[in-house]
């Protein structure tokens, strides 16, 4: 028990020192110092946050590099005529700060999965793929495909350049809140998992009425 008691005495002594009122420093100096320290902390926090919000960081794990990132590179979200690329955070991390922080907290589970090697092989990844996809589909369904709508705006869509069924759905369902992007656009950037046993209505919005 002596080491525990000694550690407690050290912590108590340290707390006594830092909690004791300053004898020789003015309130203005302490306030300014606290303000500067807050700026340094906030700047460091945001720098670290943004460093984890890049495609380079996302694919630094071989689980992402070897699986979903390879699939993304074959889609129009990666290479297209306009040269505008959607990176991993664009689709999986909300832009608004409060929503972003919530998403980062959710993503902490991925660190746990990395540590315990949940999907460290291709076989493990494929076995878990449907479960992982359903989690992401449910998240996008719940937030009305927020990340999709950060780039895609209904009001900016030229529906005359879309197929009749797509234009009908965008005009009558998505824009009025009766459906959301992910209802139809599963598999838009990554291959679909094995959908055997998944109800048809959860695979895509094929049950929506056609324009005719």
């Amino acid at each position: 028990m002596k080491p525990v008691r000694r550690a407690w005495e050290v912590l108590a002594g340290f707390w006594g020192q830092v909690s004791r009122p300053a004898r020789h420093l003015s309130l203005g100096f302490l306030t300014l110092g606290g303000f500067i320290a807050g700026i340094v902390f906030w700047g460091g926090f945001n720098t670290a946050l943004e460093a984890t919000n890049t495609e380079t960081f996302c694919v630094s794990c071989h689980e992402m590099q070897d699986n979903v990132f390879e699939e993304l590179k074959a889609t129009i979200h990666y290479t297209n005529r306009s040269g505008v690329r959607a990176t991993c955070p664009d689709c999986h991390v909300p832009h608004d700060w409060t929503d972003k922080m919530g998403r980062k907290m959710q993503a902490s589970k991925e660190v746990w999965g990395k540590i315990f090697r949940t999907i460290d092989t291709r076989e493990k990844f494929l076995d878990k793929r449907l479960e992982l996809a359903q989690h992401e589909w449910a998240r996008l369904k719940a937030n009305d495909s927020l990340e999709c709508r950060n780039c895609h705006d209904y009001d900016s869509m030229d529906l005359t350049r879309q197929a009749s069924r797509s234009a009908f759905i965008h005009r009558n369902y998505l824009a009025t809140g009766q459906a959301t992007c992910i209802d139809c656009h599963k598999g838009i950037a990554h291959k679909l998992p094995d959908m055997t046993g998944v109800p048809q209505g959860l695979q895509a919005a094929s049950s929506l009425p056609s324009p005719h």
Side-chain angles (χ1 to χ4, degrees):
M1 293 297 293
K2 289 184 178 180
V4 175
R5 184 180 304 161
R6 178 58 182 165
W8 175 255
E9 291 173 352
V10 171
L11 288 174
F14 175 75
W15 176 250
Q17 289 290 331
V18 300
S19 62
R20 183 180 303 164
R23 296 179 180 178
H24 306 291
L25 299 177
S26 68
L27 178 61
F29 179 84
L30 293 174
T31 302
L32 179 62
F35 179 73
I36 294 174
I39 292 176
V40 172
F41 170 79
W42 188 251
F45 175 78
N46 275 284
T47 299
L49 182 67
E50 290 307 312
T52 66
N53 205 40
T54 63
E55 185 175 80
T56 301
F57 178 83
C58 293
V59 299
S60 61
C61 295
H62 81 87
E63 291 91 340
M64 298 296 101
Q65 174 72 47
D66 297 342
N67 294 300
V68 291
F69 186 59
E70 286 300 313
E71 296 171 0
L72 173 65
K73 290 194 290 187
T75 72
I76 197 170
H77 278 95
Y78 189 85
T79 304
N80 52 68
R81 60 186 179 277
S82 63
V84 178
R85 175 179 297 173
T87 64
C88 308
D90 290 324
C91 295
H92 295 283
V93 181
H95 293 188
D96 181 73
W97 195 86
T98 53
D99 292 327
K100 180 189 295 185
M101 290 305 300
R103 181 70 184 110
K104 289 294 184 179
M105 292 176 67
Q106 289 178 335
S108 63
K109 296 179 181 178
E110 296 167 13
V111 178
W112 181 272
K114 174 67 175 178
I115 293 173
F116 288 93
R117 306 174 67 178
T118 304
I119 54 172
D120 62 329
T121 66
R122 178 68 177 174
E123 292 72 21
K124 290 181 181 179
F125 171 74
L126 293 176
D127 288 342
K128 294 277 290 184
R129 181 161 206 167
L130 178 59
E131 177 186 344
L132 297 172
Q134 288 176 324
H135 286 321
E136 192 65 2
W137 295 338
R139 185 183 68 81
L140 287 167
K141 179 71 172 178
N143 71 9
D144 192 18
S145 301
L146 177 61
E147 289 86 333
C148 302
R149 293 184 291 104
N150 284 329
C151 295
H152 300 280
D153 183 3
Y154 300 138
D155 294 334
S156 300
M157 289 182 181
D158 183 356
L159 300 183
T160 63
R161 303 181 66 178
Q162 297 184 5
S164 60
R165 176 171 171 77
S166 296
F168 175 80
I169 291 174
H170 285 148
R171 183 183 299 110
N172 295 284
Y173 290 91
L174 297 186
T176 57
Q178 297 181 53
T180 189
C181 311
I182 197 62
D183 288 327
C184 292
H185 295 290
K186 294 180 177 72
I188 194 69
H190 306 295
K191 293 179 181 178
L192 286 171
D194 182 359
M195 303 294 282
T196 303
V198 177
Q200 181 68 28
L202 296 179
Q203 296 186 24
S206 58
S207 59
L208 294 178
S210 66
H212 303 296

